[in-house]
Amino acid sequence: MEITASDLDFSYGSRLVLDEINVEFPAGSLTALLGVNGAGKTTLLKLIGRLLSPDEGRILLGDNLQENITRADYAKTTGYVSQLHQPARLRVFDYLLIGRTPYSKFHYTRNDEDIVLQVMVDMGLTFFADRWLTDLSGGEMQKIIIARAMVQKPKILLLDEPTNNLDLKNQLEIMKLLNNCAYSSKMTIIFSMHDLNLALRFADRFLLLDQGKLLSSGTRQNLDDDLLSRAYGTPLTLHEVAGQTVVLS
Amino acid sequence: MQKSISAYKRLSRRRHLWLGTIIVFLLITVLLALCSGASKVGMGTAVRSLFLAEDNLTQQIVWQLRLPRICGALLGGAGFAAAGMVLQTTLRNPLASPSTLGISQGAAFGAACGVIFLGLLDPGVGNQTAMLGRHPYLISLFAFGSSLLTTICIVVLASIYRASHETIVLAGVALSAFFMAGTTVLQYFADETQLSSIISWTFGDVGRASWAELQVMALLVGCGLFYLALQTVKFNALLAGSDTAATLGVSVIRTRLLSISFAALMTAIIVTYFGVISFIGLVAPHIARRLVGEQSHILLPVATLLGALLLLWADLVGRTLLSPILLPAGVITAFMGTPVFLFLLFGGQRRWR
């Protein structure tokens, strides 16, 4: 499902965090939100995830205006993975069942359990079913949180720094997983990220934010040394090495 | 792979087994409570007098003395435990409960206010033997209003100021100290009968309600339990954090406010009729959590039944320990609750992280 944001403004009190954002996310694209801390990446994700509502402007999901979609329907379309936080004391399977909330009014059904099981099989997480969330490593926890969003059967997946605090192997695994979701299930995926090289390697679209303003949006071709250096406030250069784009400082 | 899944399935079965076990224990305890007391009644006789209309002493003892206490203990225990479990889940605070947040004390203070102020308007009010005197509904209203006010304070602290767990519990301690001080002040202005009425609120006893009052209680506690039982999927979502719950389609603030209000309503109605009974609301959900885990749709029924079971035992012990002297159940729960709570805090740390 494609997302269209037009003329988005958002401010916390008197501080303008997002200023006139116009951007489109095509269906099945994997978009990286780039920019320094405080550039407005998380705020943009929260606006699309409907955790915040914009002061001005509007967001369209497909042809529907965001505010015209009911809460439950929105949750069936959009999965949100927030930054890693202190997990509750739950078993993994119990936690994944929580992802069925938008589909369950008063209780979970056998069907909900089957869907959870299917997602666990698909993502190779069946070893974890009876483990405590509190016993998982950072990488395992992140995969479980993404699995919880997958259990919602969303068409849009929003992730706030999904690879933060993970080792290289886990970073790659998470990114490959997202890549797979975007291309095989036509999911629209948007994630914020600090690691430019990882983002350049896996994402197909990039959105560069600087103090709430959109510096550039589009594919790799829309990025250049000058824009990146301006956004990050330090000289950066793009190079092609062995078929991959890398950033050097 | 299959091992982990089947281990989970076993776990899930065990949770339902616990539910069944507690129901069986509850039935046994009810029978036991019917038979024991100052005058011994055989089990067969007790059960027979429940169902057959005979006009004898046993029947009177069972219907007028034992059964109201049993029903009161079941309702009170269930209500306190469910309220405690919901407060703990919605505030994401393991130390929350009607008594630690001062909601119970608030209700007792409100009732005391009611006794004094209504006494000023209508001097005969204290001369009634029953705890609620001549204006049972007005005094209940005072208790409910005051406990609701306490709840609002807590909710405002928890949601608007985003206070930490410790701050909320400390605020509860401050509020209950305030209400106890207020109750003490009111005692100065009370005459003898009012004084005994006020004091009786500070230690709870499950044998105070008449059948008519029990019906009101059953109705309100029943409504509360029914509402909460419908919210368990949302409570589970709240376990994943309030932001995640919001992205799962749960209106977090509304769910929180409504559930906490229902918890306050149940607490207020029980305290109004029985007085303050502490620890059940704190300890029962914790024991239940040890048995079946955090999942609300199984935790709520287990905690509720466990609360009923615990209060029934507390009353049973209170009635039989120094028989024929009746110790109020509130005293017993305080004695039982303290060691259990300390054990939960320190003894079980390794398994309970």
Side-chain angles (χ1 to χ4, degrees):
Chain A
M1 188 178 277
E2 75 272 14
I3 308 165
T4 320
S6 35
D7 303 324
L8 282 190
D9 278 350
F10 186 84
S11 46
Y12 287 112
S14 60
R15 196 167 68 89
L16 196 60
V17 187
L18 287 179
D19 190 3
E20 290 289 307
I21 302 289
N22 283 291
V23 66
E24 240 178 272
F25 303 92
S29 62
L30 184 56
T31 308
L33 299 186
L34 305 174
V36 293
N37 290 328
K41 303 188 297 291
T42 301
T43 307
L44 184 57
L45 279 175
K46 283 189 172 172
L47 284 173
I48 299 171
R50 216 186 188 184
L51 280 170
L52 298 171
S53 42
D55 299 340
E56 299 281 337
R58 50 189 208 152
I59 297 170
L60 290 168
L61 261 60
D63 299 323
N64 296 316
L65 210 56
Q66 188 184 47
E67 60 257 38
N68 292 344
I69 307 173
T70 64
R71 267 176 180 282
D73 283 341
Y74 207 82
K76 288 175 192 170
T77 329
T78 316
Y80 188 95
V81 175
S82 54
Q83 286 186 38
L84 274 182
H85 52 82
Q86 191 64 33
R89 186 162 174 79
L90 285 167
R91 306 268 180 182
V92 167
F93 198 95
D94 292 334
Y95 178 74
L96 293 181
L97 264 178
I98 291 175
R100 297 304 291 168
T101 305
Y103 301 87
S104 320
K105 218 171 165 72
F106 305 125
H107 59 88
Y108 309 114
T109 61
R110 179 58 53 84
N111 181 42
D112 293 328
E113 288 177 13
D114 290 344
I115 287 171
V116 168
L117 202 58
Q118 191 56 50
V119 168
M120 291 185 90
V121 171
D122 291 347
M123 290 178 64
L125 297 172
T126 40
F127 299 99
F128 296 109
D130 67 329
R131 293 260 301 271
W132 291 108
L133 284 189
T134 39
D135 292 346
L136 299 179
S137 72
E140 291 165 343
M141 184 66 201
Q142 189 61 272
K143 281 178 212 160
I144 296 293
I145 297 178
I146 294 174
R148 194 262 304 140
M150 291 299 185
V151 167
Q152 287 173 250
K153 294 283 163 204
K155 298 182 181 70
I156 296 164
L157 190 59
L158 310 165
L159 306 100
D160 200 357
E161 300 185 12
T163 57
N164 231 9
N165 293 323
L166 299 187
D167 59 38
L168 190 60
K169 177 171 172 284
N170 275 307
Q171 288 186 10
L172 291 175
E173 279 179 16
I174 298 274
M175 290 318 295
K176 279 178 189 152
L177 178 76
L178 295 182
N179 208 322
N180 210 5
C181 290
Y183 296 119
S184 62
S185 14
K186 277 276 165 206
M187 222 181 261
T188 310
I189 301 181
I190 310 171
F191 63 93
S192 63
M193 184 165 280
H194 284 302
D195 187 334
L196 287 172
N197 286 316
L198 198 62
L200 281 164
R201 177 160 165 208
F202 286 98
D204 53 16
R205 295 177 68 84
F206 306 90
L207 209 147
L208 197 55
L209 286 165
D210 180 31
Q211 291 178 17
K213 287 194 173 59
L214 193 62
L215 277 190
S216 128
S217 79
T219 58
R220 156 79 183 81
Q221 269 64 49
N222 298 63
L223 289 179
D224 60 38
D225 296 356
D226 185 40
L227 282 172
L228 278 179
S229 307
R230 226 166 85 202
Y232 283 90
T234 178
L236 294 173
T237 48
L238 287 162
H239 303 271
E240 303 293 329
V241 180
Q244 282 183 32
T245 310
V246 290
V247 177
L248 295 178
S249 54
Chain B
M1 147 195 170
Q2 228 42 49
K3 228 170 83 188
S4 180
I5 299 281
S6 51
Y8 174 78
K9 290 208 165 128
R10 263 201 311 281
L11 210 75
S12 172
R13 266 199 303 280
R14 205 184 308 151
R15 291 172 181 166
H16 290 92
L17 215 62
W18 271 118
L19 190 61
T21 314
I22 289 170
I23 292 175
V24 171
F25 267 111
L26 203 54
L27 289 175
I28 295 172
T29 314
V30 167
L31 280 180
L32 209 61
L34 274 177
C35 305
S36 32
S39 87
K40 296 275 172 284
V41 177
M43 196 161 283
T45 331
V47 174
R48 201 172 57 237
S49 58
L50 269 186
F51 298 106
L52 298 175
E54 292 168 69
D55 195 24
N56 57 25
L57 191 62
T58 314
Q59 177 115 29
Q60 293 228 331
I61 289 174
V62 167
W63 275 94
Q64 300 307 321
L65 294 175
R66 303 268 162 90
L67 214 50
R69 291 193 82 92
I70 293 173
C71 290
L74 292 178
L75 279 171
F80 275 128
M85 181 253 148
V86 165
L87 289 172
Q88 287 163 14
T89 304
T90 49
L91 296 173
R92 294 195 83 197
N93 189 336
L95 292 174
S97 84
S99 46
T100 47
L101 295 183
I103 300 176
S104 296
Q105 289 82 349
F109 172 73
C113 282
V115 169
I116 298 295
F117 292 128
L118 293 173
L120 290 179
L121 297 176
D122 177 3
V125 72
N127 298 338
Q128 307 287 314
T129 42
M131 186 168 77
L132 294 175
R134 211 186 284 170
H135 301 280
Y137 298 107
L138 272 177
I139 294 180
S140 313
L141 219 60
F142 268 85
F144 177 61
S146 160
S147 71
L148 205 62
L149 217 64
T150 321
T151 314
I152 290 169
C153 290
I154 300 290
V155 171
V156 166
L157 269 173
S159 51
I160 297 178
Y161 292 101
R162 292 184 176 276
S164 68
H165 293 174
E166 293 77 12
T167 318
I168 290 170
V169 171
L170 288 177
V173 171
L175 281 172
S176 47
F178 171 78
F179 286 127
M180 286 203 282
T183 311
T184 312
V185 168
L186 286 175
Q187 286 171 2
Y188 269 104
F189 299 102
D191 61 34
E192 272 170 40
T193 38
Q194 286 174 337
L195 194 62
S196 72
S197 179
I198 291 172
I199 286 178
S200 65
W201 254 291
T202 54
F203 54 89
D205 186 10
V206 296
R208 284 179 188 152
S210 66
W211 277 114
E213 288 164 343
L214 280 175
Q215 278 168 11
V216 177
M217 233 173 92
L219 184 74
L220 289 174
V221 172
C223 281
L225 288 177
F226 181 70
Y227 174 80
L228 296 176
L230 295 181
Q231 308 299 312
T232 51
V233 169
K234 291 180 188 160
F235 293 155
N236 283 341
L238 285 175
L239 291 176
S242 40
D243 268 4
T244 305
T247 63
L248 285 165
V250 176
S251 30
V252 176
I253 293 175
R254 210 182 108 216
T255 306
R256 261 205 190 128
L257 282 180
L258 277 175
S259 314
I260 294 175
S261 308
F262 271 95
L265 170 75
M266 292 200 294
T267 306
I269 196 73
I270 301 167
V271 173
T272 308
Y273 288 133
F274 291 160
V276 176
I277 298 174
S278 50
F279 279 114
I280 294 283
L282 187 66
V283 169
H286 274 291
I287 298 176
R289 227 174 241 124
R290 283 291 188 83
L291 299 178
V292 299
E294 285 276 2
Q295 287 272 74
S296 302
H297 57 273
I298 186 86
L299 179 60
L300 182 67
V302 170
T304 306
L305 292 173
L306 206 61
L309 183 66
L310 284 180
L311 193 51
L312 196 54
W313 267 107
D315 184 47
L316 197 56
V317 170
R319 280 193 296 142
T320 49
L321 199 63
L322 298 177
S323 173
I325 299 171
L326 297 181
L327 284 177
V331 175
I332 306 294
T333 58
F335 277 125
M336 279 199 330
T338 312
V340 174
F341 185 57
L342 287 177
F343 170 76
L344 287 175
L345 273 182
F346 300 106
Q349 285 234 322
R350 239 168 298 132
R351 275 183 301 153
W352 179 246
R353 269 171 300 168

